[in-house]
């Protein structure tokens, strides 16, 4: 039953640091691709079919791991990766549209989520600020991804990162304050 | 910034968040590194601004996702149930409307199943825990477990009774339930929770959205998702893991929020919050946008505001004129306040021991029996307050209080020792001074400062204890006795006197007036002094006024007749005493108002007293004394004129009720004449005298309008409006001016009505209504305003009836008219229910019922 994704997830969980980051590098594009496909198909349907972000990620998980129920320990890893992937999908879409608007480069938008463009600017600012934050607080960056891009609750975020909900709550508040200030200052 | 610096900043921010403002400032100042200090400061400042920032997940924000999802399960069959639609979804599971069919019957049920991907061991365990708990509970107000099992996908599910209805608050709002109906439903909820407790189950997540009320007003308790079985009544700590924090903070008890052991009294607290919201439309605490730590802090240290205080803030009228429900402040004051606050005590041991006790106390309230809940003592509240504002209170009151009590204890010790008599006597004098002047100087100097109420209460408590001690010791020293009586009277004024700002302790005030009265009576009997008798009469009158505010007319009647009796004797003994005569005139007037207010009152007797009042006032001999200002800043002439105009007005009003327009005119003209004289006493006229003049103009205008003299009526009403607007503009807090402004609009509206200018009439009456509704919110105890509002509603109804006659949109206007008459009827019924419907409004209920019948289409 193990497929490539399962194997990579297992590696991330059990492996050493270098194996870990290698597996991550391989896994991210796979998850990214799947999520992007799923997101585009869900979001572009004619009759506003909608779903929760977490369920989108679940769908991706089931597809990629070819499992019927969740291997709980690997699920956390998957969610963390999926959150990064979601961030990239949404930010890429925003950047692509902005590029398109300026007519600099032609980008295929065929399978990009068709979302409103009014937020593109602030999304890109947020992404930039997150990159800055990641330099000195990677965990806060993960929390923001899980909460904002993947739509996880405080409790779910706590489970994925294996920390207490109180910690998530506190870190989330501080991260938001810092990002808010960063974006509004620049 | 590097990681080490950031860690330090985060740590400092986390510490600073929990601090109260003043300590936070000091904490920040203590950070030596200025770069870090700035960063911490900025982050803290940004914290509140960013409360909502990126709080909504991006996909939701983009409108791309909603809560309703594409659900693979809909249309499939689980167990014997086919899933029809999704009813709701939480983080871990979802609930579906499901149907089971066979040849004989179709059964609808609610099926709860763990979401795919959420079936971790912990969740599965929690899920089966809920199922087990539900299977142990059988109660008409708890959704019944029907079935359960494992789906083909391997996911656990269970099936419950499907409850069709509305969530608690929604149900009460839609059906516009009144106080008693709400309490009845609430008691049924209590019985469900009680049943759970008997089965050793603590619900832990009681909230209105977990209570569905069916069409037949049967509440059903749902979602025992985080309920817990208590083994052998032991208490248990909330888990520290993810589930422990899944509770809803608004309804959770302080111990739950703090992660401390939870018992059945935690459910009592949640029920208290539910009842609070049910009756005031607001929750005791507003947790929106607050951090978790802040929340713990609030719940631990703060007592919620009394429901009656909250009630006056809520229940605002929306544009459509519909009203968010809130029980009138007056009904909440006292028992209901005490009951709810007892359930909401921070310390679980101070709450009701059981849900049954809580529910029974409500039952006692409903049946008019004394309830067990008692307000917290002033001392207790002071201690709470003291904990929070140590420094401020210390400097403002504690020092002074310790000074006073310190001296008094020293004094008594000195006297008891019987040595150094002269020192003891000197100290004794000091204490007397303290009680008679210093205590009140302190009180007066702090009474207008915000937040000093607890200190003032403590001051009163101390002063009272001191006076009691002094009066127990007092010998034959009449001067001391007079001082004591003065002291009690002053304290009573502060506690709850009818005039001026007070501490709202009416029963305390009455007790203190009674003590003063006892001393005065003793002195009067001993010396036969007119001065002491007069002072006693004034005390009767003050007690009377407090009782009138409490609508306790029976006891008020006793004080009223005693005060008149005394004054009659005094006037007979000293016919030339102007003060006695004018005071007698005032007492007759007060008695007339009392008799008019009594549901069983005799209108003729009231009239008789008003006439007596005029006779007494007119009998004051003209002399130079009349224009000298008394201690209250008023001359005797002003007092005479104001009693006279009021008495004439009352007779005029009485004549209107008796349908004697000529008599009404004559008396209203007299009232107006006296009011003009009164206003002319000062240049510029005093605001209160201008209001009196406006009132007199209004009375006349309305009578003239009724009589068909529309030109004069419009002139008088416009004049009244002008005066009220000016006074209200000069001082928007002038409650009387604002109240009269509404009546001016009403008068003017009534004249336009006669002129058949309905749009203008509606405009003025709409204005009157808005003002009166606002006053009703702020002063629900003002039954005169409520009466005015009832009349305004009725009048607007009548105008719409007229519109229905002359316009094409007959049905629509009749329906609107019926709506207003309904509102009017509700007002009269409410007054009647509360026993505060004045006699002169007696016919109103019948009148509005008839109006409603007229409007039937």
């Amino acid at each position: 039953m193990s497929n490539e994704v399962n194997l990579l997830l297992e590696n991330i969980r059990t492996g050493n640091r270098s194996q870990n980051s290698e597996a991550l590098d391989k896994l991210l594009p796979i998850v990214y691709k799947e999520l992007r496909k799923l997101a585009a198909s869900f979001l572009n349907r004619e009759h506003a079919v909608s779903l929760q972000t977490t369920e989108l990620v679940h769908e991706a998980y089931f597809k990629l791991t070819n499992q019927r129920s969740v291997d709980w320990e690997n699920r956390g890893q998957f969610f963390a990766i999926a959150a990064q992937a979601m961030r990239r999908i949404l930010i890429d879409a925003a950047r692509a549209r902005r590029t398109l608007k300026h007519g600099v480069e032609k980008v295929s938008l065929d399978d990009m989520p068709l979302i409103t463009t009014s937020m593109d600017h602030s999304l890109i600012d947020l992404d930039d600020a997150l990159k800055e934050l990641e330099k000195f607080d990677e965990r806060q960056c993960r929390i923001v991804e899980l909460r904002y891009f993947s739509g996880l609750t405080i409790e779910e975020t706590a489970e994925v990162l294996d920390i207490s909900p109180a910690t998530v709550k506190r870190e989330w508040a501080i991260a938001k304050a810092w990002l808010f200030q960063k974006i509004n200052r620049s | 910034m590097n990681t080490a610096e950031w860690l330090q900043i985060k740590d400092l921010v986390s510490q600073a968040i929990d601090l109260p403002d003043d300590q936070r400032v000091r904490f920040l100042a203590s950070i030596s590194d200025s770069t870090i200090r700035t960063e911490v400061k900025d982050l803290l400042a940004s914290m509140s601004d960013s409360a909502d920032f990126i709080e909504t997940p991006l996909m939701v924000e983009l409108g791309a996702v909603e809560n309703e999802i594409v659900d693979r399960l809909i249309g499939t069959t689980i167990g014997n149930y086919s899933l029809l639609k999704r009813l709701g979804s939480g983080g871990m599971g979802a609930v579906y409307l499901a149907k089971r069919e066979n040849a004989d019957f179709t059964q609808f049920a609610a099926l709860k199943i763990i979401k795919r991907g959420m079936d971790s061991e912990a969740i599965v365990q929690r899920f089966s825990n809920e199922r087990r708990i539900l299977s142990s509970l059988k109660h008409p107000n708890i959704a019944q477990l029907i079935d359960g099992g494992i789906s083909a996908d391997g996911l656990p599910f269970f099936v419950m009774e499907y409850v069709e209805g509305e969530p608690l608050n929604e149900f009460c709002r839609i059906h516009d339930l009144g106080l008693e109906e709400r309490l009845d439903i609430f008691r049924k909820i209590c019985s469900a929770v009680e049943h759970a407790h008997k089965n050793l189950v603590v619900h832990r997540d009681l909230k209105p959205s977990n209570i569905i009320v069916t069409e037949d007003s049967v509440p059903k308790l749902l979602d025992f998702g985080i309920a817990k079985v208590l083994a052998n009544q032991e208490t248990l700590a909330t888990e520290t893991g993810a589930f422990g924090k899944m509770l809803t903070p608004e309804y959770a008890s302080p111990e739950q929020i703090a992660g401390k052991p939870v018992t059945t009294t935690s459910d009592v607290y949640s029920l208290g919050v539910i009842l609070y919201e049910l009756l005031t439309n607001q929750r005791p605490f507003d947790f929106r946008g607050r951090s978790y730590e802040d929340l713990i802090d609030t719940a631990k240290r703060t007592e919620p505001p009394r429901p009656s205080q909250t009630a006056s803030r809520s229940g605002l009228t929306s544009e459509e004129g519909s009203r968010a429900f809130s029980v009138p402040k007056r009904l909440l004051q006292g028992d209901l306040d005490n009951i709810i606050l007892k359930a909401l005590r921070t310390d679980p041991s101070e709450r009701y021991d059981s849900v049954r006790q809580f529910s029974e106390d409500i039952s006692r309230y409903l049946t008019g029996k004394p309830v067990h809940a008692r307000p917290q003592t002033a001392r207790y509240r002071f201690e709470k307050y003291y904990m929070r504002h140590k420094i401020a209170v210390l400097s403002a009151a504690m020092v002074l209080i310790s000074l006073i009590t310190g001296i008094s204890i020293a004094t008594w010790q000195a006297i008891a020792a019987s040595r150094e008599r002269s020192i003891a006597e000197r100290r004794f004098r000091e204490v007397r001074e303290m009680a008679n002047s210093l205590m009140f100087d302190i009180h007066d100097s702090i009474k207008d400062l915000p937040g000093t109420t607890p200190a003032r209460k403590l001051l009163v408590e101390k002063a009272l204890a001191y006076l009691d001690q002094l009066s127990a010791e007092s010998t034959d020293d009449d001067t001391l006795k007079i001082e004591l009586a003065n002291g009690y009277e002053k304290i009573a004024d502060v506690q709850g006197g009818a005039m001026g700002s007070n501490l709202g302790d009416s029963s305390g005030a009455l007790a203190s007036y009674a003590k003063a009265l006892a001393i005065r009576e003793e002195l009067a009997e001993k010396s036969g002094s007119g001065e002491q008798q007069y002072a006693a009469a004034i005390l009767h009158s003050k007690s009377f006024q407090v009782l009138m505010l409490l609508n306790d007319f029976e006891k008020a009647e006793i004080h009223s007749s005693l005060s008149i009796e005394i004054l009659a004797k005094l006037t007979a003994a000293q016919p030339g005493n102007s003060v006695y005569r004018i005071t007698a005139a005032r007492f007759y007037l007060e008695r007339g108002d009392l008799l008019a207010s009594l549901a069983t009152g005799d209108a003729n007797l009231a009239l008789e007293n008003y006439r007596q009042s005029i006779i007494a006032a007119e009998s004051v001999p003209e002399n130079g004394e009349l224009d000298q200002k008394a201690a209250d800043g008023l001359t005797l002439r002003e007092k005479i004129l104001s009693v006279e105009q009021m008495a004439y007005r009352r007779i005029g009003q009485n004549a209107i009720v008796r349908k004697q327009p000529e008599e009404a005119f004559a008396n209203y003209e007299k009232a107006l004449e006296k009011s003009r004289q009164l206003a002319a006493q000062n240049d510029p006229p005093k605001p209160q005298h201008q209001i009196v003049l406006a009132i007199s103009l209004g009375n006349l205008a309305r009578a003239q309008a009724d009589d068909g003299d529309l030109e004069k009526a419009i002139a008088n009403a416009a004049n009244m409006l002008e005066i009220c607007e000016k006074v209200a503009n000069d001082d928007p807090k002038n409650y009387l001016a604002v109240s009269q402004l509404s009546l001016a609009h009403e008068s003017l509206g009534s004249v336009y009505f006669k002129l058949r200018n309905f749009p203008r009439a509606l405009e003025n009456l709409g204005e009157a209504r808005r003002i009166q509704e606002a006053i009703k919110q702020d002063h629900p105890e003002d039954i005169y305003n409520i009466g005015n509002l009832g009349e305004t509603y009725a009048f607007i109804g009548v105008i719409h009836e007229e519109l229905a006659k002359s316009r094409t949109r007959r049905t629509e206007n009749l329906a609107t008219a019926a709506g207003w008459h309904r509102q009017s009827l509700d007002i009269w019924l409410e007054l009647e229910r509360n026993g505060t419907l004045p006699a002169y409004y007696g016919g109103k209920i019948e009148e509005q019922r008839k109006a409603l019948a007229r409007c039937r289409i």
Side-chain angles (χ1 to χ4, degrees):
Chain A
M1 72 156 225
S2 280
N3 62 11
E4 191 194 357
V5 173
N6 279 318
L7 218 62
L8 287 170
L9 283 170
E10 197 61 25
N11 284 348
I12 292 170
R13 192 162 67 81
T14 56
N16 62 32
R17 210 180 161 78
S18 75
Q19 285 171 317
N20 200 323
S21 98
E22 195 184 313
L24 255 177
D25 286 345
K26 279 190 191 153
L27 191 54
L28 191 60
I30 301 173
V31 177
Y32 173 81
K33 212 173 127 202
E34 182 60 33
L35 274 175
R36 187 165 134 161
K37 223 162 66 194
L38 275 171
S41 77
F42 273 110
L43 299 175
N44 290 344
R45 268 183 218 168
E46 261 180 61
H47 302 291
V49 177
S50 49
L51 78 170
Q52 287 177 328
T53 324
T54 43
E55 301 192 35
L56 187 81
V57 176
H58 268 122
E59 284 299 319
Y61 177 83
F62 291 123
K63 273 212 161 128
L64 291 172
T65 58
N66 203 15
Q67 284 178 339
R68 224 172 56 169
S69 78
V70 173
D71 175 348
W72 199 254
E73 284 182 322
N74 283 343
R75 178 181 164 277
Q77 290 299 339
F78 186 85
F79 261 79
I81 292 158
Q84 288 180 51
M86 285 301 288
R87 173 178 162 196
R88 270 179 57 179
I89 291 167
L90 294 163
I91 298 291
D92 284 354
R95 283 191 200 278
R97 272 191 307 271
R98 193 174 65 170
T99 315
L100 190 70
K101 245 186 328 211
H102 295 299
V104 179
E105 197 185 332
K106 274 206 165 173
V107 180
S108 161
L109 289 176
D110 289 351
D111 54 1
M112 281 291 171
L114 279 183
I115 48 183
T116 53
T117 54
S118 60
M119 295 178 63
D120 289 351
H121 189 71
S122 58
L123 267 181
I124 292 163
D125 285 347
L126 176 67
D127 189 50
D128 291 342
L130 267 175
K131 281 178 189 154
E132 185 80 19
L133 177 66
E134 194 172 11
K135 286 179 196 159
F136 51 84
D137 199 331
E138 204 188 320
R139 190 171 73 178
Q140 277 196 352
C141 184
R142 294 290 89 80
I143 290 174
V144 173
E145 283 170 351
L146 287 165
R147 296 276 290 128
Y148 186 58
F149 292 100
S150 240
L152 264 59
T153 63
I154 296 277
E155 287 75 23
E156 287 166 341
T157 307
E159 267 183 61
V160 166
L161 296 179
D162 199 20
I163 51 180
S164 78
T167 307
V168 173
K169 199 139 188 174
R170 189 179 59 240
E171 295 282 310
W172 168 240
I174 295 175
K176 285 201 305 173
W178 188 86
L179 290 167
F180 185 79
Q181 183 188 319
K182 178 87 189 161
I183 290 170
N184 289 305
R185 256 193 210 158
S186 57
Chain B
M1 191 174 346
N2 62 42
T3 309
E5 276 170 356
W6 176 242
L7 282 178
Q8 196 189 345
I9 290 166
K10 279 207 293 190
D11 185 45
L12 291 167
V13 168
S14 310
Q15 289 180 46
I17 287 174
D18 293 336
L19 298 176
D21 287 350
D22 51 337
Q23 288 182 36
R24 189 189 277 193
V25 171
R26 258 178 288 145
F27 178 81
L28 289 174
S30 72
I31 302 172
S32 53
D33 185 325
S34 68
T35 326
I36 289 190
R37 185 170 58 235
T38 312
E39 193 72 34
V40 170
K41 251 189 203 166
D42 289 354
L43 269 179
L44 284 169
S46 165
M47 217 122 202
S48 56
D49 294 337
S50 65
D52 295 329
F53 176 62
I54 63 173
E55 201 48 55
T56 312
L58 179 57
M59 299 281 276
V60 177
E61 207 170 0
L62 293 170
V65 290
E66 286 164 22
N67 285 329
E68 204 175 307
I69 66 149
V70 192
D71 199 320
R72 292 169 291 106
L73 289 179
I74 288 170
T76 65
T77 301
I78 294 176
N80 294 316
Y81 293 84
S82 55
L83 272 48
L84 303 178
K85 68 171 185 181
R86 188 142 153 181
L87 296 171
S89 158
M92 309 295 165
V95 182
Y96 298 87
L97 175 63
K99 187 169 77 167
R100 190 167 76 143
E101 262 176 322
N102 65 24
D104 304 321
F105 67 93
T106 305
Q107 182 189 21
F108 287 96
L111 187 144
K112 188 167 182 174
I113 186 162
I114 291 186
K115 272 190 206 166
R116 195 150 78 122
M118 292 294 180
D119 48 340
S120 72
E121 201 181 320
I123 290 173
V124 171
Q125 208 171 43
R126 202 154 62 83
F127 196 80
S128 52
N129 176 52
E130 181 179 4
R131 183 181 154 183
R132 208 170 38 246
I133 284 175
L134 275 176
S135 74
S136 72
L137 301 176
K138 284 194 174 48
H139 188 275
N141 301 110
I142 295 176
Q144 183 70 46
L145 183 79
I146 300 172
D147 199 356
I150 307 279
S151 78
D153 276 348
L155 299 172
F157 71 91
F158 61 75
V159 184
M160 286 172 296
E161 173 188 359
Y162 173 55
V163 183
E164 209 171 348
E166 305 288 340
L168 178 63
N169 290 342
E170 195 67 3
F171 181 87
C172 293
R173 192 181 59 74
I174 293 172
H175 297 276
D176 197 18
L177 298 190
L179 172 62
E180 288 185 13
E181 294 162 308
R182 282 170 198 243
L183 290 176
D184 280 344
I185 291 185
F186 182 76
R187 292 195 63 223
K188 287 182 193 154
I189 299 166
C190 286
S191 82
V193 178
E194 195 189 324
H195 176 80
H197 288 176
K198 267 190 206 147
N199 287 280
L200 304 183
V201 172
V202 189
H203 189 285
R204 301 201 298 179
D205 195 20
L206 292 167
K207 54 185 172 186
S209 60
N210 273 346
I211 299 159
I212 303 292
V213 187
T214 69
E215 227 181 3
D216 323 320
S217 298
V218 179
K220 298 255 186 188
L221 203 47
L222 309 177
D223 201 347
F224 281 71
I226 64 167
K228 193 80 194 176
V229 180
L230 294 174
N232 304 323
Q233 292 286 35
E234 79 191 39
T235 64
L236 74 165
T238 317
E239 298 95 314
T240 46
F243 308 139
K245 298 285 164 63
M246 285 178 65
L247 46 91
T248 316
E250 277 85 352
Y251 299 94
S253 59
E255 64 271 21
Q256 262 172 301
I257 291 175
K260 285 191 197 144
V262 166
T263 67
T264 50
T265 47
S266 309
D267 280 349
V268 170
Y269 185 95
S270 303
L271 285 169
V273 180
I274 291 173
L275 183 57
Y276 195 112
E277 190 177 9
L278 208 51
L279 302 191
T280 66
N281 211 28
Q282 307 226 349
R283 288 192 286 269
F285 299 114
D286 187 358
F287 286 149
R288 275 170 304 181
R290 307 268 289 268
S291 75
Y292 196 78
E293 286 73 14
D294 187 21
L295 209 136
I296 293 180
D297 207 45
T298 303
K300 256 200 313 224
R301 298 204 299 192
T302 320
E303 296 291 334
R306 275 181 288 131
S308 58
Q309 279 174 310
T310 305
S312 58
R313 284 191 275 120
S314 66
L316 295 173
T317 306
S318 74
E319 279 172 9
E320 297 77 43
S322 74
R323 191 179 283 272
F325 180 85
S326 169
V327 172
K329 195 174 170 180
R330 183 173 29 78
L331 287 183
L332 290 171
Q333 271 167 353
D335 286 349
L336 285 176
D337 267 353
N338 293 340
I339 289 174
I340 295 173
L341 289 182
K342 185 171 172 69
L344 291 179
R345 297 270 198 268
T346 304
D347 181 351
S349 67
E350 289 181 12
R351 290 177 209 146
Y352 288 104
D353 287 337
S354 69
V355 176
R356 169 178 279 269
Q357 284 185 8
F358 186 9
S359 174
E360 280 177 353
D361 231 8
I362 296 171
S363 161
R364 268 189 292 275
Y365 166 78
L366 285 170
T367 51
K369 291 179 197 147
V371 304
H372 290 155
R374 286 278 164 271
Q376 286 172 323
T377 61
R379 168 171 294 279
Y380 177 86
R381 275 195 299 268
F382 179 77
E383 275 163 7
K384 290 271 169 195
Y385 179 84
Y386 173 68
M387 293 309 285
R388 272 179 285 142
H389 302 98
K390 259 183 196 163
I391 297 159
V393 176
L394 258 180
S395 58
M398 281 306 279
V399 171
L400 297 170
I401 288 155
S402 64
L403 187 75
I404 295 161
T405 51
I407 290 172
S408 84
I409 288 163
T411 307
W412 295 113
Q413 283 167 344
I415 290 172
S418 237
R419 284 179 217 145
E420 298 181 75
R421 200 116 190 105
S422 64
I423 294 175
E425 276 167 7
R426 186 163 54 80
R427 288 229 167 141
F428 190 68
R429 262 200 319 278
E430 283 170 6
V431 175
R432 275 165 71 163
E433 269 168 39
M434 197 73 83
N436 287 313
S437 60
L438 191 52
M439 194 89 86
F440 293 99
D441 289 346
I442 294 165
H443 175 266
D444 290 347
S445 66
I446 64 170
K447 76 171 184 213
D448 292 327
L449 297 176
T452 54
T453 304
R456 289 166 65 199
K457 282 187 177 159
L458 193 69
L459 212 48
V460 163
E461 201 180 286
K462 288 285 176 201
L464 206 51
Y466 163 72
L467 283 173
D468 286 345
Q469 209 173 359
L470 207 54
S471 82
E473 293 280 329
S474 97
T475 47
D476 288 336
D477 182 348
D478 285 351
T479 328
L480 178 62
K481 284 194 172 151
I482 290 172
E483 279 174 21
L484 281 171
N486 280 335
Y488 279 124
E489 184 171 350
K490 279 189 206 163
I491 281 188
D493 290 345
V494 172
Q495 283 174 301
M499 307 290 168
S501 94
N502 64 56
L503 294 170
D505 178 10
S506 305
S507 52
L510 287 171
S512 299
Y513 282 137
K515 285 177 186 168
L517 203 48
I519 300 172
R520 292 287 183 200
E521 278 169 352
E522 186 197 327
L523 288 169
E525 197 165 314
K526 204 162 70 177
S527 65
S529 138
E531 203 184 321
Q532 293 308 320
Q533 291 179 40
Y534 181 73
I538 294 293
L539 285 166
H540 279 302
S541 167
K542 282 185 174 178
S543 305
F544 164 86
Q545 286 164 356
V546 174
L547 289 163
M548 283 296 277
L549 288 180
L550 295 174
N551 293 323
D552 188 343
F553 301 132
E554 270 175 52
K555 283 197 193 125
E557 202 278 328
I558 299 171
H559 285 287
S560 159
S561 44
L562 285 172
S563 67
I564 286 181
E565 201 179 292
I566 295 173
L567 258 295
K569 258 191 263 168
L570 286 174
T571 322
Q574 290 186 45
N577 188 319
S578 307
V579 175
Y580 288 169
R581 285 184 184 271
I582 182 61
T583 305
R586 182 161 67 80
F587 288 172
Y588 282 122
L589 184 62
E590 284 177 349
R591 185 163 182 78
D593 284 350
L594 164 72
L595 294 171
S597 301
L598 278 176
T600 54
D602 184 335
N604 285 327
L605 263 180
L607 206 55
E608 187 51 42
N609 276 283
Y610 293 138
R611 294 204 173 109
Q612 282 287 341
S613 175
I614 293 174
I615 292 169
E618 282 175 348
S619 73
V620 180
E622 178 67 38
N623 61 35
E625 239 181 88
L626 293 190
D627 291 313
Q628 281 167 16
K629 269 193 184 151
D632 54 8
L634 296 169
T635 64
L636 271 182
R637 195 184 300 281
E638 284 172 326
K639 287 181 187 171
I640 295 169
L641 286 169
S642 70
V643 167
E644 282 176 339
Q645 61 83 20
M646 181 84 94
Y648 279 120
R649 178 194 338 291
R650 292 282 191 259
I651 298 173
Q653 284 163 337
N654 191 291
I656 294 276
V657 175
R658 285 183 284 117
K659 302 206 187 311
Q660 300 291 329
E662 292 307 317
E663 192 188 334
F665 273 132
N667 282 288
Y668 280 160
E669 296 275 12
K670 271 296 231 187
L672 182 59
E673 182 196 322
K674 297 287 178 189
S675 307
R676 285 199 204 282
Q677 287 176 21
L678 183 60
Q681 292 295 308
N682 300 83
D683 185 28
K686 291 184 180 171
Q688 69 260 39
H689 293 162
Q690 282 179 290
I691 294 300
V692 165
L693 179 56
I695 294 173
S696 297
L697 283 165
N699 288 145
L700 197 56
R702 253 165 300 172
Q704 284 162 337
D706 285 340
D707 200 45
D709 193 348
L710 302 182
E711 220 166 287
K712 273 191 196 159
I714 265 197
N716 282 329
N719 193 355
M720 175 191 190
L721 191 70
E722 196 186 340
I723 292 172
C724 293
E725 260 174 351
K726 190 182 168 301
V727 180
N729 277 342
D730 288 348
D731 180 12
K733 280 191 199 147
N734 190 328
Y735 166 51
L736 255 182
V738 176
S739 165
Q740 283 306 316
L741 184 58
S742 81
L743 292 180
H745 278 294
E746 203 174 317
S747 304
L748 208 50
S750 80
V751 183
Y752 283 119
F753 175 75
K754 298 267 175 190
L755 289 169
R756 304 193 66 75
N757 184 345
F758 300 131
R760 277 298 296 267
L762 279 177
E763 211 174 284
N764 282 117
L765 283 160
E767 202 56 49
R769 172 178 71 85
R770 271 187 287 283
I771 298 170
Q772 286 158 358
E773 282 174 344
I775 296 175
K776 185 169 183 255
Q777 283 306 318
D778 292 342
H779 300 272
E781 74 288 349
D782 182 348
I783 55 172
Y784 296 100
N785 174 67
I786 295 176
N788 290 336
L789 183 58
E791 304 238 58
T792 306
Y793 284 146
F795 203 167
I796 300 179
V798 168
I799 298 175
H800 281 283
E801 281 184 61
E802 282 302 313
L803 287 174
K805 284 180 199 161
S806 56
R807 297 260 176 102
T808 42
R809 293 183 305 173
R810 177 173 178 274
T811 322
E812 198 183 319
N813 277 315
L814 272 186
T816 313
W820 291 109
H821 285 305
R822 179 82 240 169
Q823 292 220 55
S824 175
L825 179 61
D826 285 348
I827 293 259
W828 307 122
L829 289 175
E830 186 190 327
L831 286 176
E832 191 190 42
R833 213 169 32 243
N834 300 331
T836 49
L837 183 67
Y840 49 86
Y841 280 145
K844 291 292 171 187
I845 290 177
E846 193 48 38
E847 177 194 288
Q848 289 309 304
R849 288 220 163 102
K850 277 186 189 153
L852 273 173
R854 276 202 307 274
C855 297
R856 212 161 284 146
I857 302 150

